[in-house]
Amino acid sequence: MSEPTEANRATGPAEAAGSAAPGGAAGRRHVRVVLVDDHRMFRTGVQAEIGQTEQTGVEVVGEAADVDQAVTVITATRPEVVLLDVHLPGGGGVEVLRRCAPLMGDTEQLVRFLALSVSDAAEDVIGVIRGGARGYVTKTITGTDLVDSIFRVQEGDAVFSPRLAGFVLDAFASTDAPPVDEDLDRLTQREREVLRLIARGYAYKEIAKQLFISVKTVESHVSAVLRKLQLSNRHELTRWATARRLV
């Protein structure tokens, strides 16, 4: 969460009362949160950033690293808000939402979901929102804005990072289903992430840092993408991604 960005409400900007400043409104509020992300270091960072309950009002009551763990922890703890990564072992955030659907309709102990992901791809945003998530913010968000977003989701608002709301509005305004790209469907979610970053000109080391994986793992994903798409090098890969507006 390095580059500060403001999470904007789908219906308008956040009110000043939503500030998470110590001693402000958030200090008198309380929300129980489960953090779902497959990178332990990232979970630790988020916990350190927002989990000081006396200052932020956020209590992290559980963590999970994959789909099965997430469903178990969410069912056991019944948090008000789940911070959910989109790409998880075991089927991804959409699978967590599918398996937790009854909890999203439980008026006694309602559980709401806020996607928190490195991905800003339209299909990822639309997928989790269709699955039932109340919002989607990227990992460039600041700690203060993330706390504010959590409380707004708890209150029933829809929250999105800048420009992502447009994907949702466009998707739900259209009655046509998006075309199926068989080539893209051959790629795993992680391979798609690497593909986009390569096409944007990122070096392997930069991609590794962005996705919290090793350079060797990045190289393996690039090789797999090139093989599946029958491309020869990153220049062809960039043209392929640009032609499909994935960059």
Side-chain angles (χ1 to χ4, degrees):
M1 297 188 290
S2 57
E3 300 175 18
T5 183
E6 223 175 84
N8 292 326
R9 183 177 303 176
T11 56
E15 289 101 346
S19 172
R28 297 189 296 273
R29 297 181 294 178
H30 182 266
V31 60
R32 298 170 68 254
V33 171
V34 164
L35 176 58
V36 181
D37 193 287
D38 61 338
H39 299 297
R40 182 180 59 81
M41 289 181 63
F42 181 78
R43 296 199 309 272
T44 301
V46 172
Q47 170 78 277
E49 187 81 16
I50 71 172
Q52 304 300 316
T53 308
E54 290 186 2
Q55 286 74 42
T56 65
V58 177
E59 179 187 2
V60 178
V61 297
E63 298 182 12
D66 59 35
V67 169
D68 288 340
Q69 288 180 13
V71 174
T72 299
V73 171
I74 293 166
T75 302
T77 60
R78 293 294 185 97
E80 283 92 8
V81 177
V82 177
L83 287 180
L84 180 66
D85 193 10
V86 175
H87 302 145
L88 295 166
V94 172
E95 178 63 13
V96 175
L97 291 164
R98 185 188 69 80
R99 291 169 60 178
C100 290
L103 303 182
M104 289 186 275
D106 186 345
T107 55
E108 295 294 325
Q109 289 183 292
L110 184 65
V111 178
R112 291 187 170 100
F113 289 79
L114 172 61
L116 175 63
S117 177
V118 70
S119 172
D120 60 0
E123 63 265 26
D124 288 336
V125 179
I126 294 165
V128 295
I129 297 304
R130 282 180 171 159
R134 292 294 304 172
Y136 194 116
V137 294
T138 59
K139 290 180 177 179
T140 55
I141 193 170
T142 65
T144 299
D145 283 340
L146 180 56
V147 169
D148 184 56
S149 298
I150 290 169
F151 276 109
R152 283 168 28 208
V153 166
Q154 180 196 30
E155 293 161 4
D157 288 337
V159 181
F160 299 92
S161 286
R163 95 183 184 90
L164 300 187
F167 296 155
V168 180
L169 292 173
D170 291 344
F172 286 91
S174 173
T175 56
D176 298 326
V180 175
D181 190 324
E182 294 182 359
D183 290 331
L184 189 61
D185 284 348
R186 294 192 185 100
L187 306 182
T188 66
Q189 291 288 354
R190 181 63 86 192
E191 288 167 353
R192 294 185 192 189
E193 288 180 332
V194 172
L195 164 65
R196 291 188 188 93
L197 293 174
I198 284 287
R200 291 172 183 173
Y202 283 72
Y204 285 4
K205 287 184 179 179
E206 294 172 322
I207 296 173
K209 183 178 180 181
Q210 182 87 353
L211 300 181
F212 300 94
I213 58 179
S214 68
V215 173
K216 185 175 181 181
T217 301
V218 174
E219 293 172 348
S220 297
H221 285 314
V222 172
S223 296
V225 170
L226 292 173
R227 182 181 69 255
K228 290 179 179 181
L229 300 181
Q230 298 182 342
L231 301 174
S232 301
N233 52 57
R234 66 180 298 163
H235 300 295
E236 291 184 1
L237 188 152
T238 299
R239 287 197 297 271
W240 188 92
T242 301
R244 286 164 173 75
R245 298 181 180 178
L246 300 177
V247 181

